Amino acid sequence: MASNIGHSYRCAIFGESHGKMIGVEIDGLPPGEAIDEAELQAFMARRAPGNSHLTTKRKEPDLVHIASGIMDGVTTGFPLMAYIENTDQHSKDYSNLLDHPRPSHADYTAYLHYKGFADMRGGGHFSGRLTAPLCIAGGIAKQILRRRGIVIGAQLLQVAEFVGTPFDALNVDAETLEKIATKEFPTLDFRAGAKMQHAIQQAANDGDSVGGIIQGAIIGVPAGVGSPMFDGIENRLSQALFGIPGCKGVAFGDGFDSVTLRGSVHNDPFTIQDGNIVTTSNHAGGILGGIANGAPITVRIAMKPTASISKKQQSISLSKHEPEDLVITGRHDPCIAVRAVPVVEAVLAMSILDLLLEEHSI
């Protein structure tokens, strides 16, 4: 089904942006795994709204309530159900949108698909609010993976035209990834980060928005994990990453930049280091033929500019069937890429744990 993902680590997302609650049911959790709920809550806080002048003013604590699947801090092996109560909805801000679909939102397509019955307040089930349950599932997966030596992190690499410093594709380490998670603005490059923040604030002042690129990295995935053709690591990660609202592109390794290189430059030569087979570069992003080669897995995710802006836009009236101008009110992120950084980490963790459980590599 559309809101379910995973083969062995199976996650089902439920709820709407302005409903009573949002949450996730997770099936396939291995029993006996210690889960630090305080650590999980700290991970959730990185995505939570209202914690920065650069994000939406909607203030949600995103407190995770675990209803089943964990006892005395340890997974039971039974399905885990966790939910977050919605506490700061302003549904009246969306009353005019019931008849006027927002440009570049799912309002119109949802109207067609669900025949006008979908609860689209705040974006409904299509809202970025639904990335909070993804962070529950991914935050749990990150803890399980880290105990196996697999560390996942991400950074905001680009906002508008301002580009930061990418991870060292071959030598990115756990310390670097974990340090970024403690930063208020999640980017390696302080100077570029300042320019990114200025661009976001400028767009907000103009009633507009900007997009960004998030770079993710996964270290410690055993060589040989994955599959060819349609079920490779790229395939599985891409399917999950495109479930993040606003994701418009996914590229592994050098991605589209590969076309500017010759094969003699882009190829990753093999060598022996400390008795292990390794590559001397990592243009492939740690994946060959859909299978991990032991190098860090690197991926870039393009996030579009936030569709909800306060500038006047052209829309239509569904009831009158005629063009009408639209002014969107309410509280919105001027750059959704900022809060999507931990979401990318969560989705990568969910997918990698699913692969490892499926192949009995964990």
Side-chain angles (χ1 to χ4, degrees):
M1 293 179 64
S3 301
N4 298 276
I5 194 165
H7 295 200
S8 296
Y9 187 70
R10 301 180 295 278
C11 302
I13 306 297
F14 64 85
E16 297 86 27
S17 180
H18 286 204
K20 291 182 179 180
M21 65 179 68
I22 53 178
V24 61
E25 182 179 356
I26 305 170
D27 202 1
L29 264 171
E33 294 286 345
I35 303 300
D36 187 329
E37 293 189 35
E39 181 181 331
L40 176 61
Q41 196 60 59
F43 180 66
M44 299 297 299
R46 291 174 54 201
R47 191 224 70 95
N51 292 329
S52 166
H53 70 284
L54 296 175
T55 64
T56 173
K57 298 302 183 288
R58 179 173 179 173
K59 189 71 174 177
E60 294 279 4
D62 281 358
L63 295 176
V64 178
H65 301 275
I66 297 178
S68 66
I70 293 180
M71 184 173 67
D72 298 327
V74 177
T75 58
T76 63
F78 297 142
L80 183 149
M81 198 280 275
Y83 65 91
I84 297 169
E85 295 176 341
N86 289 324
T87 62
D88 188 25
Q89 312 97 304
H90 288 184
S91 296
K92 66 180 185 299
D93 292 338
Y94 295 85
S95 56
N96 69 319
L97 303 180
L98 297 177
D99 190 50
H100 301 84
R102 293 167 292 177
S104 292
H105 267 282
D107 297 349
Y108 174 62
T109 50
Y111 172 80
L112 296 175
H113 188 81
Y114 295 101
K115 306 184 188 311
F117 291 102
D119 177 3
M120 291 301 292
R121 296 172 300 166
H125 193 65
F126 297 89
S127 170
R129 181 93 184 108
L130 273 296
T131 59
L134 286 176
C135 283
I136 298 175
I140 290 171
K142 284 189 70 174
Q143 293 188 32
I144 295 172
L145 290 170
R146 192 173 62 241
R147 285 196 285 272
R148 273 75 173 180
I150 299 172
V151 179
I152 297 173
Q155 68 155 329
L156 191 57
L157 181 62
Q158 180 174 348
V159 169
E161 69 269 30
F162 302 106
V163 184
T165 303
F167 294 132
D168 183 329
L170 190 61
N171 299 303
V172 60
D173 56 24
E175 183 180 359
T176 298
L177 298 181
E178 291 173 348
K179 185 177 180 180
I180 290 178
T182 66
K183 291 188 173 186
E184 182 177 351
F185 194 77
T187 187
L188 276 177
D189 191 327
F190 175 81
R191 291 184 178 180
K195 294 177 181 178
M196 294 179 201
Q197 292 179 70
H198 179 71
I200 295 170
Q201 188 59 63
Q202 199 167 43
N205 294 342
D206 294 339
D208 218 326
S209 62
V210 288
I213 293 176
I214 298 167
Q215 184 184 31
I218 311 169
I219 58 176
V221 176
V225 169
S227 295
M229 293 292 287
F230 304 118
D231 208 27
I233 295 179
E234 294 109 326
N235 308 63
R236 298 279 282 271
L237 294 185
S238 295
Q239 180 187 9
L241 288 166
F242 275 112
I244 301 173
C247 173
K248 301 303 289 184
V250 174
F252 293 88
D254 284 357
F256 286 97
D257 294 338
S258 301
V259 303
T260 66
L261 307 177
R262 288 193 171 189
S264 55
V265 176
H266 184 265
N267 291 348
D268 297 317
F270 291 104
T271 189
I272 305 294
Q273 182 177 312
D274 299 326
N276 299 313
I277 299 173
V278 298
T279 58
T280 60
S281 59
N282 190 21
H283 298 285
I287 306 167
L288 297 171
I291 301 170
N293 67 3
I297 294 173
T298 60
V299 58
R300 301 186 188 198
I301 299 91
M303 301 294 293
K304 71 177 185 179
T306 311
S308 288
I309 58 176
S310 58
K311 286 180 174 290
K312 183 186 292 186
Q313 300 178 83
Q314 182 178 321
S315 182
I316 52 96
S317 166
L318 293 170
S319 60
K320 299 176 184 176
H321 204 68
E322 62 184 30
E324 286 191 6
D325 288 338
L326 172 66
V327 175
I328 300 172
T329 58
R331 303 160 297 173
H332 308 282
D333 291 85
C335 179
I336 55 178
V338 178
R339 289 201 294 130
V341 171
V343 181
V344 166
E345 294 177 23
V347 169
L348 294 177
M350 291 165 53
S351 302
I352 292 298
L353 180 57
D354 184 41
L355 275 167
L356 293 176
L357 289 172
E358 183 178 359
E359 298 191 13
H360 307 291
S361 300
I362 192 169

